[in-house]
Amino acid sequence: MIQTVTRPIAPATAMSATLVVARRALLKFVRTPALVGMGIVQSALFLFSFRYVFGGAIHAGASTYVAYLVPGYVATIVLFTGGGIAVAVADDRVEGFTDRLLSLPIPRYSIVMGRALADFATNAWAIVATAAFGFLFGFRLGGSIPDGLAALGLCLVFGLVFTVVFIVIGLLAPNAQAAQGMSMIAFVLAFMSSTYVPAGTMPGWLQPFAQNQPATVTINAVRALFEGGPAFHDLWQAALWCAGIFAVFLAISMNLYRKATA
Amino acid sequence: MTTVPLIEARDLTIRFGKVKALDDLDLTAPAGKVLAILGPNGAGKTTFVRAVSTLLRPTGGTLQVLGKDVSREPVAVRRDIGLAGQSAAVEPTMTGRENLEMTARLFGHPRDGARRAASIVIERLSLGDVADRRCSTYSGGQRRRLDLGASLVGAPRLLLLDEPTTGLDPISRREVWDSVRDLVAAGTDVLLTTHYLDEANELADHVIVIDHGHTVAAGTLSDLKASSGRDVIEVAVNDPSQLEAVGHILERVTSNPPRLDHNGRRASAPTAGGAKDLAIVIRTLDDTSVMVDEIGVRRPTLDEVFLTLTNAYVQNGSSR
Ligand SMILES: Nc1ncnc2c1ncn2[C@@H]1O[C@H](COP(=O)(O)OP(=O)(O)O)[C@@H](O)[C@H]1O
Ligand SMILES: [Mg+2]
C-alpha cells in the first residue's frame, strides 16, 4: 500500500515561509543565466559609454568625471535592474504562483518579505559588480575604507527601498511586458538626478525636482562618503526619503497582494 | 454526529465592478463525494474556486468551507484546502521534487517532513522518472500532475482543481484523471471545475451546473439527464445540402431550434411530443425530395442536456 502524507502539525512560521519564498525567487534568478549575466553586462556597457564616450564632453566641477559618475551610477543601478523585479512579480501573478501562495496557510507579509529578501541579494550582486567595473574603469576611493563600505551600504538600502516600489509596479501591471514598460518610469529618477551631470547645470524650473528628489540626495550622500567629505546633511535627507518611500510602498504592496488577481 | 457539508454557498455574490461573476449562487456540496462544477466559459467557475480558496472575498452572501466561513476564518480555511489553479503554478527552473518540497515547507512541514511528503506524492502520482528533472522539460500533463501534487503535500481535506485538463492532449487527460481517481480512492475530497461533460462523467459523483454565476441544476449526472433531458428527434441524411430543409421541418414540428451537424450529416431537435412528433416529421419528409438515411427518437446526450440547461437559463434570465 502506498503511504499517505500526514498533515503538518503546525502552519509554517513567518520566518520559515519568508525564507522558502526567498529561496525560490533566488533559485529562479541564479538558474536563469540571462538574468544573472545580462544585467551586469548592460550596466557595464552603460558605465563604459558614460565614462569613455560622453564623459569627455561633460564637465562636472573640480573632480574628474569618473570620480563624479561612479558613485551615482552605483547608487542608482537598481533603477535600471529593478524592471526584472517587476517582471518576476507580474509573472508570478499571471502564472498562478501568487494564487498558490495566497491559498496557503502562511502570513501574507511573508510573501512580500521573501520577495524583498531575494531581491536584496540580487541587488547586492548588481551593486558589487557595478562598483567593481567602476574601479576597473579608473574610479578610486577618496576616503577611508569604512566610508566606502558605508557608501555601498547606503546603495543597498536605496536598492531595498526601490525593490518594494518595483514589487508594486509588478502587482499593478496586467502582465510581464507591461511591467517592463512601466518600470521605465524609474529612468526619470535616474536621469533627472545628479548622477550624470550636476543638477545645478539643469534649467531653473527642473532644479527644485532634480536637487531634492530621492535619487539625488542619496547619490550626494554616497558620493560624499566615497570622497571622504562630510555626508551628514545628505545622509539624513536620504534616510528620510528612503524611510518614507519604503513605508508607503510596503503598505501598498501588502494591500495589493491581499487582492492580487490574475 | 452530523456531517458538515464540504461547501455551502448561500446567495453568494462576487462582483468585479459592474460584472457579477457570481450572482446569488446557492449550492451545497456533500462531504465524501467528488464534486464537479460544470459550466461554459465565463460561467463563474474560476471565481467560485478563488472564493473557496479565500483569494476573493464575497461581495454578498455567505460561503462556508468544511463549516468555516471564508470571510471570518480565512486562515482556518487555508489550512484545510489545497489549490491547483487554472494555470499550473510550478517553477520551471526547479525540479519536480524541489517544487514539492518547497510547497510542503509552506504548508508547515519541517525539512525532513517536507522531503518525506514530496517522496510520497511523487510515488503516488507516478512522477518518479521525472522528479529530479527541471520542470521546464516536462510535458503539459506532467506539469499538471506535479501541480496537483503540490496541492497535496500538505494533506489538505479538500483539493480544489480548476479546469485540471484544459489544454491537454487526450493521453495526458487520461493521466490526470487516473491521478485524481487515485486521490479520491485515498480519501481526499475533491472539487473540480470543468466545461467538459465527459470529464464530469469520468470523475464526479455530484455535479453542479452553473451559468452566468447562477446554479442551474444540481445532482448526479443521471439525475440531470432524467430531469432535464427531453427526447431528441434525429434525422440523418444522405446529401448534406438538404440539412437546412430538414432543420426547418424539425423546427416547425417541435418548436425548438434544431442543431445541424454537417460533418455527421445529421439534424436534431429536442421534442416534447415524442413519437407523435416523430410521425409528423416522417410524413412531412415523405412529401419532400430529402433522402433520409436514418430517423428516430432517442434519449439526449449529456452535451444536449448541458446545452438545454444553460440555454434555458439564458432564456429565463433575459425575460425576467
Ligand atoms: N478580475 C476580474 N475582473 C473583472 N471581471 C472578471 C474578473 N474575473 C472574472 N471576471 C468576469 O467574471 C465572469 C466569470 O469569470 P470566471 O469565473 O473566470 O469564469 P469561468 O472560470 O467559468 O470561465 C466573466 O464574465 C469574467 O469576465
Ligand atoms: Mg476559469
Side-chain angles (χ1 to χ4, degrees), chain B residues 15-30:
Chain B
R15 308 169 165 274
F16 298 105
K18 270 192 216 134
V19 181
K20 274 190 181 170
L22 297 181
D23 185 1
D24 281 343
L25 181 97
D26 280 306
L27 69 80
T28 305

Side-chain angles (χ1 to χ4, degrees), chain A residues 2-12 16-17 20-21 23-24 27-28 31-32 94-97 99-106 108 258 260-262, chain B residues 50 53-56 78-81 83-84 87-89 91 93-94 98 102-103 105-109 117 120-121 124 134 147 150-151 153-157:
Chain A
I2 299 178
Q3 277 180 289
T4 50
V5 183
T6 50
R7 266 168 81 81
I9 297 154
S16 90
V20 173
V21 172
R23 178 169 181 275
R24 177 239 175 216
L27 272 184
K28 189 182 173 88
R31 290 182 182 176
T32 314
V94 173
E95 285 164 9
F97 183 70
D99 275 0
R100 154 82 32 85
L101 287 182
L102 291 171
S103 77
L104 289 168
I106 57 173
R108 303 289 161 120
R258 205 166 302 139
T261 51
Chain B
R50 291 171 59 81
S53 335
T54 75
L55 303 182
L56 286 174
R78 280 177 216 138
R79 290 207 65 192
D80 282 342
I81 58 163
L83 168 69
S87 48
E91 171 49 49
T93 63
M94 285 161 62
E98 285 172 332
M102 166 181 77
T103 316
R105 296 278 285 138
L106 293 173
F107 267 113
H109 283 293
I120 294 172
V121 167
R124 199 200 262 178
R134 290 198 189 173
D147 193 46
S151 56
V153 285
R157 297 210 162 95

Side-chain angles (χ1 to χ4, degrees), chain A:
Chain A
M1 203 198 115
I2 299 178
Q3 277 180 289
T4 50
V5 183
T6 50
R7 266 168 81 81
I9 297 154
T13 61
M15 176 67 121
S16 90
T18 302
L19 291 176
V20 173
V21 172
R23 178 169 181 275
R24 177 239 175 216
L26 262 184
L27 272 184
K28 189 182 173 88
F29 178 80
V30 172
R31 290 182 182 176
T32 314
L35 289 181
V36 182
M38 276 318 290
I40 300 307
V41 170
Q42 205 177 358
S43 93
L45 283 176
F46 262 68
L47 186 59
F48 183 91
S49 304
F50 275 101
R51 162 75 174 89
Y52 294 109
V53 181
F54 306 120
I58 301 172
H59 298 283
S63 56
T64 60
Y65 189 59
V66 68
Y68 183 83
L69 171 69
V70 169
Y73 191 79
V74 174
T76 54
I77 196 66
V78 67
L79 299 178
F80 294 95
T81 59
I85 299 171
V87 166
V89 169
D91 266 341
D92 280 355
R93 208 188 69 249
V94 173
E95 285 164 9
F97 183 70
T98 305
D99 275 0
R100 154 82 32 85
L101 287 182
L102 291 171
S103 77
L104 289 168
I106 57 173
R108 303 289 161 120
Y109 59 85
S110 62
I111 304 174
V112 184
M113 295 210 312
R115 181 80 240 170
L117 184 62
D119 292 322
F120 187 77
T122 59
N123 287 341
W125 157 244
I127 287 167
V128 168
T130 307
F133 277 110
F135 283 103
L136 188 68
F137 298 156
F139 177 72
R140 293 295 172 262
L141 277 185
S144 67
I145 288 182
D147 280 350
L149 290 177
L152 286 180
L154 184 55
C155 295
L156 273 173
V157 170
F158 186 76
L160 180 64
V161 168
F162 275 87
T163 291
V164 184
V165 175
F166 285 108
I167 289 176
V168 168
I169 291 176
L171 287 171
L172 289 175
N175 55 46
Q177 236 177 342
Q180 183 77 64
M182 285 161 67
S183 298
M184 290 189 191
I185 297 171
F187 293 0
V188 172
L189 287 183
F191 287 114
M192 295 183 197
S193 74
S194 61
T195 303
Y196 305 95
V197 296
T201 64
M202 295 176 195
W205 56 266
L206 192 52
Q207 289 212 16
F209 175 76
Q211 299 272 21
N212 298 297
Q213 58 118 325
T216 296
V217 297
T218 307
I219 291 159
N220 291 346
V222 169
R223 195 173 275 139
L225 285 168
F226 270 136
E227 284 169 355
F232 185 74
H233 176 74
D234 295 316
L235 257 181
W236 73 255
Q237 277 193 57
L240 273 185
W241 262 123
C242 284
I245 296 173
F246 189 71
V248 169
F249 280 83
L250 189 65
I252 297 176
S253 70
M254 306 247 256
N255 200 30
L256 286 175
Y257 261 115
R258 205 166 302 139
K259 51 187 177 201
T261 51

Side-chain angles (χ1 to χ4, degrees), chain B residues 45-46 86 162-163:
Chain B
K45 301 182 297 295
T46 297
Q86 201 165 348
D162 192 10
E163 299 199 9

